[in-house]
Amino acid sequence: MKEPASGAGLALCWVLAAAMPAPPVAAQNRVIEFPEVDGYQTLAVDLHTHSVFSDGWVWPVIRVQESERDGVALFAVSEHLEFQPHAADIPHPDRNRSFAVAAEWAGSTDSDVIVVNGAEISRDMPPGHVNAVFLSDANALLMDDVMEVFREANRQGAFVFWNHPNWIPQRPDGVARLMDIHKELIASGLLHGIEVANALTYSAEALQIALDHDLAILGVSDIHGLIDWDYDVHGGGHRTVTLVLAAERTAESIREALDANRTAAWKDGELIGREDVLVPLLEASVKVAEVGVRRGSVLTVRLVNRSGASFELLSVGPQRFYDRAAVVNVPPHGEVELSVTGENVSDFELSFAVLNAIVAPETHPTLQLAVEVPK
């Protein structure tokens, strides 16, 4: 047994601890946080995860713990149905077992993370890989007829979406394209969403498909290893998730938001979504907090950021700044002060293109901030 430290030894430990650098800020602020929007909660969900019950490398309980740390409200256990590389070591004829392990652990620890059942339908292209989540029984999807698999998922009330449609092993050129079977699935109401962001990849073509065919815009981690390692969380990274605008933090409200397309992908510091979702989210995040007079008619305008995202703003209005060029960075949960030059005698709007937000391929939303000039 190790001997207890002496008084001198304890004192030395305290000195060494005090001399050690503090943990990086990124490690302390990993929780994904965005403000409410028009009465809706902005919740992070991850609808594509794996464990050792298919081709992942961790026990399902780890996925619950990671979600707790990241502030993820809901995640789906979505093991490959057909691809079972660990079957010799972890034989499990029940394709619901991974979900059961995660859900039982979450329930036994009173976790606030919602765990839902899912499965990854893993077929060659077409149709490629597809996730069905909010399932009642993944085993029922084990059949040869792929169209019947989609019908069964929908009979169970599942939310069904196309995974990584630009995945190089199935799309060597990295370009997502609809094929006849995808068009049939969409027309039949059997396909409801598409991954625009999968892990650290983004598909402009998938975004256009979502806009053209009224599909939910999704971002997912598709995690197989550890979130902390794959996304360098302690270096300031974050897992890729879908942000949903939900009335309540419940599975039912989140599902309703997915069906209503009140979604955006958050990947590598970028927000990707429809304009009618992103603009209200940006307006709720970045606010004018204070306006004052610096000297003459030069105004100081303080912007605050109520979200955990950093925003890159490019001024596209007529105003110029005394102390900086046209690009302004507003840090997460931080603020920035602008000195606006010119004859500022009446109220005006600051107009910014949000460079790390995308509402269509190569298209950034505009954020308008009203400035009231002090009388």
Side-chain angles (χ1 to χ4, degrees):
M1 179 180 291
K2 187 176 179 179
E3 292 295 326
S6 65
L10 286 173
L12 179 59
C13 290
W14 280 110
V15 170
L16 291 173
M20 292 177 65
V25 173
Q28 299 170 4
N29 299 326
R30 66 182 290 163
V31 175
I32 299 169
E33 292 180 310
F34 286 85
E36 288 189 1
V37 178
D38 298 331
Y40 291 114
Q41 298 181 49
T42 305
L43 302 176
V45 304
D46 191 349
L47 302 179
H48 190 161
T49 70
H50 296 282
S51 77
V52 292
F53 281 85
S54 62
D55 62 341
W57 307 321
V58 304
W59 195 248
V61 167
I62 298 298
R63 298 294 176 230
V64 183
Q65 296 171 330
E66 290 172 330
S67 296
E68 290 173 337
R69 292 186 175 200
D70 290 334
V72 170
L74 176 150
F75 82 95
V77 178
S78 58
E79 310 292 4
H80 292 277
L81 284 174
E82 297 86 356
F83 184 49
Q84 293 285 310
H86 303 321
D89 298 303
I90 308 176
H92 57 285
D94 183 2
R95 291 293 193 270
N96 302 303
R97 183 58 189 155
S98 180
F99 160 71
V101 171
E104 288 167 7
W105 192 88
S108 69
T109 59
D110 293 324
S111 173
D112 63 352
V113 176
I114 303 165
V115 187
V116 298
N117 199 9
E120 182 164 8
I121 304 158
S122 310
R123 303 297 180 99
D124 292 335
M125 187 71 78
H129 290 203
V130 175
N131 263 18
V133 298
F134 297 92
L135 283 172
S136 56
D137 181 16
N139 295 312
L141 304 187
L142 284 168
M143 59 182 78
D144 294 331
D145 186 334
V146 69
M147 289 299 295
E148 187 57 28
V149 174
F150 282 95
R151 295 188 189 99
E152 173 58 28
N154 278 266
R155 281 193 289 268
Q156 293 187 29
F159 180 79
V160 183
F161 58 93
W162 188 6
N163 298 353
H164 41 69
N166 60 333
W167 188 39
I168 289 176
Q170 294 190 334
R171 288 294 193 202
D173 61 359
V175 177
R177 300 181 192 82
L178 287 176
M179 301 181 75
D180 288 343
I181 189 171
H182 302 119
K183 295 175 183 177
E184 181 181 353
L185 289 168
I186 294 170
S188 302
L190 300 177
L191 188 67
H192 314 126
I194 186 170
E195 291 180 357
V196 169
N198 175 286
L200 295 178
T201 67
Y202 159 70
S203 171
E205 293 80 15
L207 175 58
Q208 193 61 58
I209 289 170
L211 297 173
D212 290 344
H213 297 276
D214 198 32
L215 299 176
I217 293 170
L218 305 175
V220 301
S221 71
D222 195 1
I223 189 67
H224 290 70
L226 292 172
I227 290 288
D228 289 58
W229 291 359
D230 286 10
Y231 288 94
D232 189 24
V233 172
H234 292 270
H238 67 85
R239 74 197 288 170
T240 301
V241 295
T242 302
L243 302 178
V244 300
L245 305 185
E248 298 175 336
R249 190 187 173 105
T250 64
E252 294 76 18
S253 286
I254 290 170
R255 173 60 193 272
E256 186 276 329
L258 290 167
D259 289 334
N261 290 346
R262 293 197 305 273
T263 66
W266 195 43
K267 166 211 160 285
D268 198 21
E270 295 178 326
L271 282 169
I272 308 157
R274 288 178 170 81
E275 191 167 18
D276 63 352
V277 172
L278 280 200
V279 170
L281 179 57
L282 293 169
E283 291 174 342
S285 298
V286 181
K287 299 278 191 180
V288 174
E290 185 179 16
V291 181
V293 178
R294 174 173 177 168
R295 189 167 39 188
S297 61
V298 175
L299 294 183
T300 59
V301 180
R302 184 163 60 90
L303 305 182
V304 296
N305 184 356
R306 300 170 58 212
S307 81
S310 174
F311 293 110
E312 291 289 325
L313 309 180
L314 171 65
S315 177
V316 293
Q319 289 78 24
R320 297 294 181 266
F321 305 126
Y322 188 71
D323 53 356
R324 68 185 66 230
V327 177
V328 178
N329 176 269
V330 191
H333 297 298
E335 60 182 55
V336 65
E337 188 173 88
L338 308 177
S339 294
V340 183
T341 61
E343 295 295 324
N344 297 304
V345 295
S346 59
D347 298 347
F348 60 90
E349 284 188 336
L350 288 172
S351 297
F352 296 101
V354 185
L355 300 182
N356 61 324
I358 303 167
V359 294
E362 292 75 55
T363 305
H364 304 293
T366 300
L367 175 63
Q368 307 274 12
L369 298 176
V371 177
E372 295 183 5
V373 177
K375 305 304 180 185

